[in-house]
Amino acid sequence: MRILIVKTSSMGDVVHALPAVSDIARSFPDAQIDWLVEKGFAAMPQQHRAVRRVITLQWRKWRKSLRSPETRAALATWRAEMARERYDLVIDLQGLLKSALFACFAHGPRAGYDRHSAREPIASLFYSRKAAVSRDLHAVDRCRQLAAALLGYPVPDTPPDFGLQAATDAWTPGLGPFAALIPCASRPEKLWPEADWVAVGQALKARGWQVAVFWGSPEEEQRAHAIARTIGAAVPPFLTVAQVADSLAQAQAVVGLDTGMSHLAAAHGRPTVGIYCDHEPGLAGLRGSGPVISLGGKGQVPTRAAVLQALDTVLQPAVSESQV
């Protein structure tokens, strides 16, 4: 069986789709699974042990200059890559009009959410096979249920398996255990006070751990250095998404904002605390194979005390195991 997964963006959404691929691979061990994704987020499916081929596109870039010769050439190359193989099923796990249209360039029957389940109901018009999945479920569970319904296997009752395989030669702040802080976010409304980040970093250093402050853009790098200077923490050089994932996979603990890096850390099984200052975490909060806690919500900025308490909670299993 040849299956193409369509889940193009963003980082957190791509991470949420990973367990569905693990379920498919477990139900159909001989299946060949490919994945269509935005180039900037290709590292996640590439790190999944069951994904054979990753097809990338750069729609966020191309849509700004659709008539330019460079964009037309890139689109032609992408269409040829999509047409290389015939699939038994093309599963759109995104449920958007754009993802449904992307799926149309693949050879094979298309499948996805029905009109009551899709994030954009019009997308369902492009599917020959559809399934109803509650919109009240967490994004991870929605993806798992959709794949199971379309391929005819029971929804596993096991915890989500994100299937990620990290490289061991990752950047770390030095020898010994370390914790990661992720104070970067896509919008100012998502940010958490720098003084609170400093307090969390100092609490982690009090455990005898090194602390690393991660970033993803020049503006975030400045913020990371400002926090790190006060703590006495390390700041990594620029890291690709794959390198960030490999580094976070080595951390003993992670505290991060509502950002893709936090979801990556949780997916790698790291004890992770997510800080939500401008978004409800209920249907898209952190999920992982390790202990995770998501705090806050729309207009509910978590207090420093709440974050420190949550950090103690997610670290308790690790402490208990080390004492056995």
Side-chain angles (χ1 to χ4, degrees):
M1 183 184 297
R2 293 180 177 178
I3 299 169
L4 176 65
I5 299 295
V6 178
K7 187 75 164 182
T8 60
S9 61
S10 56
M11 187 185 296
D13 292 335
V14 173
V15 170
H16 290 155
L18 293 168
V21 173
S22 300
D23 294 344
I24 295 171
R26 188 173 294 110
S27 299
F28 303 97
D30 295 329
Q32 295 182 354
I33 304 172
D34 296 350
W35 192 314
L36 173 66
V37 68
E38 273 278 346
K39 186 175 181 179
F41 308 125
M44 283 85 79
Q46 285 170 345
Q47 287 189 335
H48 194 291
R49 60 177 179 269
V51 174
R52 181 191 62 154
R53 183 168 69 110
V54 175
I55 306 171
T56 62
L57 76 164
Q58 293 182 276
W59 180 246
R60 294 182 174 186
K61 174 183 176 181
W62 296 340
R63 66 186 180 185
K64 299 176 183 178
S65 57
L66 288 175
R67 296 186 178 183
S68 73
E70 295 80 5
T71 299
R72 290 184 178 184
L75 281 166
T77 300
W78 171 71
R79 288 196 297 266
E81 185 71 10
M82 289 286 286
R84 265 180 53 185
E85 298 192 37
R86 177 166 292 279
Y87 293 100
D88 296 294
L89 197 62
V90 179
I91 303 178
D92 178 10
L93 289 179
Q94 201 141 11
L96 300 178
L97 175 59
K98 70 173 184 179
S99 58
L101 291 174
F102 293 152
C104 290
F105 287 92
H107 289 318
R110 297 179 297 275
Y113 298 102
D114 70 9
R115 66 186 183 89
H116 300 292
S117 310
R119 289 166 60 187
E120 294 180 357
I122 193 173
S124 65
L125 297 176
F126 295 86
Y127 311 139
S128 59
R129 295 169 60 179
K130 308 168 191 178
V133 179
S134 172
R135 299 187 66 172
D136 295 329
L137 296 173
H138 188 281
V140 168
D141 300 321
R142 272 173 54 83
C143 289
R144 297 182 77 186
Q145 289 206 11
L146 177 62
L150 294 174
L151 290 170
Y153 59 84
V155 180
D157 58 4
T158 54
D161 173 12
F162 290 83
L164 293 173
Q165 298 176 310
T168 56
D169 57 343
W171 179 91
T172 63
L175 298 176
F178 80 97
L181 301 183
I182 308 173
C184 50
S186 57
R187 300 195 314 271
E189 295 83 2
K190 291 185 174 185
L191 297 178
W192 201 51
E194 288 190 16
D196 292 335
W197 283 112
V198 170
V200 171
Q202 291 171 339
L204 289 164
K205 290 198 74 172
R207 293 175 176 267
W209 294 348
Q210 299 177 78
V211 175
V213 187
F214 284 74
W215 59 279
S217 70
E219 181 180 352
E220 293 167 357
E221 183 182 16
Q222 292 181 4
R223 182 176 174 82
H225 277 288
I227 294 170
R229 277 195 298 269
T230 308
I231 300 172
V235 176
F238 173 77
L239 301 176
T240 65
V241 172
Q243 291 168 334
V244 167
D246 293 338
S247 293
L248 292 175
Q250 310 301 320
Q252 272 59 50
V254 178
V255 181
L257 292 179
D258 173 18
T259 183
M261 290 187 193
S262 302
H263 290 286
L264 263 180
H268 274 288
R270 297 300 83 207
T272 306
V273 176
I275 300 173
Y276 288 72
C277 299
D278 190 53
H279 190 271
E280 294 299 330
L283 302 183
L286 299 181
R287 293 286 293 273
S289 56
V292 299
I293 294 178
S294 299
L295 297 174
K298 186 75 173 179
Q300 303 176 37
V301 179
T303 65
R304 179 188 304 180
V307 171
L308 290 172
Q309 182 179 0
L311 185 59
D312 286 339
T313 300
V314 298
L315 288 174
Q316 189 59 45
V319 172
S320 299
E321 289 172 8
S322 67
Q323 293 173 343
V324 175

